[in-house]
Amino acid sequence: MNQKISQDFFQMVEKMPPFPKSAHRIMELAADINCNPKDLVQVIEHDPIVTMKLLKLVNSAFFSLAHEITSIRHALVYLGLNTVKNLALSIATIQSIPHKNLEHFNTHQFLLHALTTASIAQRIAPRFDPDLDTGDAFIAGLLHDFGKMVFAQFAPLEFSQAIELSIEKKQSLHLSEQAVMGMNHAEMGALLAEKWELPHQLIQCIRYHHQDSQAPLHCAVVVANQISKQLKFGNACNPVIDAFTPHIEGILGMNLSDFIESLDDLSTEASKAKKFIDI
Amino acid sequence: MKIKFWGVRGSIPTPGPTTVRYGGNTTCIEVRLDDDTLIILDAGTGIFPLAQSLLSDFPLSCHILNTHTHWDHIQGLPFFIPLFVADNNVHIYGAADPISQKGIDEILGTQLQYRFFPIRKVELKANIHYHSLTESHRIKIADATITPIMMNHPVINFGYRIDCYGKSIFFTGDHEPSYNIYDANDEEYSEYQSIMDDKQQHLIDTIQGVDVMIADCSYTPEEYPSKRGWGHGTYDSSIELAQQANVGKLYCTHHEPTRSDQALEDVFSQAMQRHPRQPQSPEYFLAQEGLEVSW
Ligand SMILES: [Zn+2]
Ligand SMILES: [Zn+2]
C-alpha cells in the first residue's frame, strides 16, 4: 500500500470542486413536498447555465410544445412544478461532472457510463420497489462512481496502475484500488458525497455499490451498473462484470443475461445519454 | 358521435354500497365515431368491463389515448382482453416522459410486462402499436382529428380534443388550473399572471365550442386549499372553463374516492346553486358509470 497516498485521501476530497450550489438547493427543495415554487424558480434563475440548458431542452423537438418557452417561470406555467424540478435536478447534477479529459482517464467515456447507469437504474427501479422515486435512482446511478473522478484527478498514476492490475488479474477494480492505494472508489465517492452533504441514502448507495444490500435503491444501481458495463456503454475502467447476487436474482427471477435480454431497446440508452451530455 | 362512461372515479377504485349508482371504477371513457371507430380515453379499471363488451367484435381495431401514466389511468391495461388475442390491432397513444426521454412504448410497454404481474411479451398476441405524441402535432384516427394539449398535473398530462364529422369532444385528463406562485405584492406577480393568462387563453381557444367536455372535478372549493398542488380541479374551475370556451355540455368526473353517491349529488347541487344556468351557459352533468351520450 502506498502510505503517502492513503494519508492524502482527505486532502483529495477537500480539493474537489464543490457540488454545484444550485443542484444542492434543488435537491433540498425536491425532497420537501411543501417546497415553495417561488424558491425553486429563484434557485434555477440564479444559475445561468442550468437555466439556459433547461430552456434549450424544453424547446427541443423532444417536447415540441405549441409555444416557445422563454423563461423558467414560463416553463413552470406550461410544464408544472414537478417536471421543471426534475429537469433542473438532472441538468444541475450532470453539470457537476467535470467535462475536461484527464491523463489515463477518458471523461467522456466515464460520463457515458455514469449517465447510462443512471437512466437504466431509473428504468428498473420499480422492479425493486414500485414506490421508489425514480429520480433518486437516476441521481444515485449518476454519482455511484464519482470516487474514480477523485483518483483520476489526484492520483492518476496509482489509479492507472490499479486499472492495469485489474485487467491483468481479472479482478474487480475496487479490489485493485484497495491493493494499490489502500482505498477504493466506492469509499472515496462516499467521502466526497459526505463532504458535499448529499442525502444519507445516496451516500450509502455510493459507499456500498460493490456490496450486497437489501435496499431497493441500492439494488437498482448495482444492477444498472452491471448492465451498463456488460453492454459497453461508455467505459467504467472495470473489466469485471459481477453476476447477480442470490438476493437480486431472487427478486428479478432471472440472471443478468436473461434480464438484459428481457429489457427492450437498451441500445438506445447510450444515444440518449449522449444527447443529455450535449445539451 | 357517442360516448359511454366506464369509469368515473379518481385515484383509486371504490366498489361498495355507497357508490353503486355513480360507480367505483377509475377513469375510462369509450368514444365511438359515427363510422363506429373505437377510441378509448384512458385505461383505468373501467376498461375491464368495456373489454367484456367487445368480445364479439374480434378481431378488432381500437385506439387508446392515455392522458398520463398515473396508476388510476393505466391500471386496467393489463386486463384489456383484446391485447391477448391474435389479429386484434391496439394502438396506444400518449406523451413521452421528458425526464427520462422515454417514449410511451417504453413507459407502458415496461409497465405491461413487469409492473402488474408477469405477463410475457409473447402473451400479448395482438398487434400493439405505440405512438408518442407531442403537443404541437395533431394526429388523425380514422376521420377524426386529435389535438393534444398540455394540461397542469405533477406529470405531463395531455388533454385531448377529438373532432370528427363536425362533432367534437374534449377530455381534460387530470388537471389543476395553474395558480400564481407569487404574492400580489411581489414584483414578479403581474408577469407571472400574464404568462398564466396566455396559457389559459390557449387552452380556451383549443377547447372552444366543443359539444361535450369531460373534466376533472375532484374537489369542492372548500376542499381545494388543502389539496393545492396535487394536480386536480374543482367543480367551479371546470364550470368556469366550460363557460369561457362555450362548450355545449360539461360532464364532471374524477370523483373524489371518499365521496358517496349522496355526497356527490350534494356537492354537485351546491355547485349548481353557485352557478345558476344562464341561457347561453353549458349544461352541467355528473359523469356516471354506464351513462351513454350520443348526438
Ligand atoms: Zn387521476
Ligand atoms: Zn393523475
Side-chain angles (χ1 to χ4, degrees):
Chain A
M1 187 208 297
N2 185 327
Q3 268 316 111
K4 164 111 184 26
I5 293 280
S6 74
Q7 284 159 6
D8 287 346
F9 291 139
F10 290 94
Q11 286 171 24
M12 287 183 194
V13 168
E14 281 309 310
K15 280 192 230 149
M16 280 295 280
F19 196 63
K21 262 214 190 74
S22 54
H24 216 272
R25 275 296 285 148
I26 296 164
M27 216 179 255
E28 266 173 28
L29 290 169
D32 175 8
I33 48 162
N34 297 315
C35 111
N36 186 340
K38 278 202 285 196
D39 297 341
L40 185 76
V41 170
Q42 201 185 25
V43 171
I44 301 173
E45 281 178 343
H46 278 76
D47 188 323
I49 294 176
V50 173
T51 298
M52 186 195 73
K53 294 200 165 188
L54 197 146
L55 293 179
K56 211 165 154 189
L57 191 61
V58 301
N59 287 311
S60 70
F62 189 81
F63 277 86
S64 294
L65 293 175
H67 293 261
E68 198 195 346
I69 303 294
T70 55
S71 69
I72 296 301
R73 287 168 215 175
H74 203 175
L76 198 63
V77 172
Y78 274 79
L79 299 172
L81 177 64
N82 220 38
T83 302
V84 170
K85 197 161 74 179
N86 284 324
L87 285 175
L89 186 57
S90 305
I91 292 169
T93 311
I94 290 163
Q95 270 314 106
S96 69
I97 301 173
H99 283 50
K100 72 172 176 20
N101 268 330
L102 301 160
E103 218 182 334
H104 307 297
F105 190 74
N106 185 324
T107 311
H108 188 77
Q109 289 296 311
F110 172 78
L111 262 178
L112 265 185
H113 170 67
L115 267 165
T116 50
T117 303
S119 124
I120 296 168
Q122 180 180 45
R123 171 160 163 190
I124 64 177
R127 304 287 300 273
F128 298 98
D129 176 1
D131 297 325
L132 199 63
D133 186 327
T134 57
D136 287 352
F138 185 87
I139 303 296
L142 191 61
L143 297 178
H144 78 281
D145 265 349
F146 255 43
K148 291 179 189 169
M149 288 294 313
V150 183
F151 289 147
Q153 198 111 304
F154 299 109
L157 282 178
E158 291 81 356
F159 186 46
S160 58
Q161 274 170 27
I163 294 171
E164 275 160 33
L165 185 65
S166 273
I167 294 168
E168 189 185 312
K169 289 196 159 183
K170 295 190 175 58
Q171 77 176 0
S172 191
L173 181 60
H174 69 286
L175 299 175
S176 305
E177 291 164 344
Q178 198 71 41
V180 175
M181 298 181 275
M183 178 69 143
N184 67 60
H185 68 269
E187 186 58 35
M188 193 58 164
L191 288 179
L192 182 61
E194 275 167 359
K195 186 206 163 198
W196 282 349
E197 294 176 2
L198 298 181
H200 178 72
Q201 60 161 356
L202 200 49
I203 298 173
Q204 293 302 90
C205 205
I206 295 170
R207 175 167 282 132
Y208 298 117
H209 78 264
H210 284 290
Q211 294 173 38
D212 200 7
S213 155
Q214 311 283 313
L217 180 68
H218 182 276
C219 294
V221 172
V222 167
V223 171
N225 185 24
Q226 304 313 321
I227 295 176
S228 171
K229 286 190 290 183
Q230 177 76 48
L231 298 179
K232 299 194 166 57
F233 292 152
N235 187 350
C237 301
N238 188 351
V240 176
I241 294 154
D242 300 324
F244 284 171
T245 61
H247 172 67
I248 287 174
E249 194 161 328
I251 293 174
L252 298 176
M254 54 187 118
N255 64 23
L256 177 62
S257 56
D258 287 345
F259 186 57
I260 290 177
E261 186 77 19
S262 77
L263 296 169
D264 284 337
D265 302 324
L266 273 177
S267 53
T268 59
E269 296 298 339
S271 59
K272 277 185 212 150
K274 280 198 193 98
K275 251 189 263 162
F276 231 108
I277 299 174
D278 296 338
I279 312 168
Chain B
M1 210 174 235
K2 191 186 95 177
I3 56 171
K4 180 167 181 180
F5 293 98
W6 292 92
V8 296
R9 196 60 60 171
S11 307
I12 189 164
T14 55
T18 62
T19 57
V20 280
R21 275 189 290 131
Y22 286 89
N25 280 308
T26 56
T27 304
C28 180
I29 303 154
E30 173 183 2
V31 179
R32 290 281 179 176
L33 304 179
D34 289 346
D35 67 1
D36 215 36
T37 298
L38 171 58
I39 298 176
I40 300 166
L41 295 165
D42 277 340
T45 57
I47 205 170
F48 182 63
L50 165 59
Q52 309 285 325
S53 77
L54 300 173
L55 302 181
S56 57
D57 299 342
F58 288 178
L60 59 70
S61 170
C62 66
H63 305 264
I64 300 174
L65 295 175
N66 172 249
T67 59
H68 67 300
T69 53
H70 275 161
W71 191 243
D72 55 321
H73 299 255
I74 57 172
Q75 76 203 116
L77 199 55
F79 304 94
F80 188 56
I81 298 157
L83 291 171
F84 301 93
V85 179
D87 300 328
N88 288 329
N89 278 288
V90 181
H91 296 261
I92 301 176
Y93 307 74
D97 174 23
I99 312 300
S100 59
Q101 311 226 339
K102 294 187 195 323
I104 192 72
D105 48 334
E106 270 182 84
I107 304 166
L108 286 184
T110 313
Q111 300 250 18
L112 254 184
Q113 284 179 70
Y114 303 118
R115 256 192 94 161
F116 299 97
F117 54 76
I119 299 176
R120 308 254 325 192
K121 215 174 182 182
V122 289
E123 294 169 74
L124 298 169
K125 293 203 170 69
N127 304 311
I128 307 175
H129 316 266
Y130 292 99
H131 308 267
S132 286
L133 304 181
T134 58
E135 192 191 40
S136 53
H137 292 100
R138 291 191 173 143
I139 54 157
K140 282 292 228 188
I141 294 177
D143 286 328
T145 303
I146 314 295
T147 310
I149 179 167
M150 190 84 74
M151 308 299 284
N152 185 46
H153 199 54
V155 295
I156 298 292
N157 180 106
F158 277 149
Y160 292 109
R161 177 176 174 138
I162 304 173
D163 285 273
C164 194
Y165 307 129
K167 295 168 186 170
S168 53
I169 147 172
F170 179 74
F171 176 46
T172 60
D174 288 359
H175 173 62
E176 174 180 8
S178 330
Y179 54 88
N180 200 318
I181 62 171
Y182 294 98
D183 299 325
N185 46 6
D186 287 341
E187 81 182 83
E188 298 92 343
Y189 182 87
S190 61
E191 187 215 321
Y192 200 85
Q193 190 61 42
S194 80
I195 300 172
M196 281 174 44
D197 293 346
D198 284 352
K199 158 111 204 240
Q200 186 67 9
Q201 193 56 51
H202 175 60
L203 181 60
I204 293 166
D205 293 346
T206 302
I207 304 173
Q208 194 58 239
V210 289
D211 304 320
V212 167
M213 166 167 144
I214 303 164
D216 174 355
C217 301
S218 293
Y219 306 129
T220 66
E222 295 77 39
E223 292 162 344
Y224 177 70
S226 63
K227 322 265 181 182
R228 201 171 83 154
W230 292 19
H232 299 288
T234 64
Y235 294 96
D236 302 65
S237 65
S238 295
I239 287 170
E240 192 188 342
L241 180 60
Q243 288 174 349
Q244 290 169 324
N246 300 304
V247 313
K249 293 177 172 157
L250 167 67
Y251 286 86
C252 298
T253 191
H254 209 271
H255 303 318
E256 214 280 331
T258 60
R259 246 192 270 290
S260 66
D261 289 331
Q262 190 55 54
L264 195 54
E265 285 177 347
D266 290 347
V267 295
F268 183 69
S269 76
Q270 286 156 18
M272 291 304 95
Q273 279 161 25
R274 289 192 297 276
H275 303 275
R277 257 198 95 214
Q278 309 299 323
Q280 309 88 340
S281 61
E283 290 182 77
Y284 308 117
F285 305 92
L286 276 174
Q288 184 170 10
E289 210 171 296
L291 176 67
E292 284 186 45
V293 186
S294 45
W295 69 100

